[in-house]
Amino acid sequence: MGFADLSIAEIPAADNLPVEQVFTLCARLEIAYKNQNTCLALEDAKAVILAILSARSNLDTTG
């Protein structure tokens, strides 16, 4: 498995989300990490980003 060139802290930066939200997603998705500087495996980074996009899409459609 390859690694994405993204740390946990970089993922929410583009959407102005708190890094704690990514920690919560990592816990829910059972993705291991040490801290906000942890670089995620490519598949894990994709899963987190898709979860963020899905949540945003749900908010856009509900109001």
Side-chain angles (χ1 to χ4, degrees):
M1 180 183 317
F3 279 83
D5 194 21
L6 288 173
S7 70
I8 287 177
E10 293 172 308
I11 292 173
D15 292 323
N16 295 320
L17 300 172
V19 73
E20 290 79 14
Q21 185 172 352
V22 178
F23 290 154
T24 301
L25 287 171
C26 285
R28 184 166 26 121
L29 297 169
E30 299 180 357
I31 297 170
Y33 65 91
K34 289 186 178 188
N35 57 43
Q36 66 187 27
N37 297 319
T38 301
C39 285
L40 296 176
L42 183 58
E43 292 301 316
D44 292 342
K46 286 171 40 178
V48 170
I49 292 168
L50 286 173
I52 291 169
L53 292 174
S54 176
R56 186 182 336 148
S57 176
N58 288 341
L59 288 175
D60 288 346
T61 60
T62 60

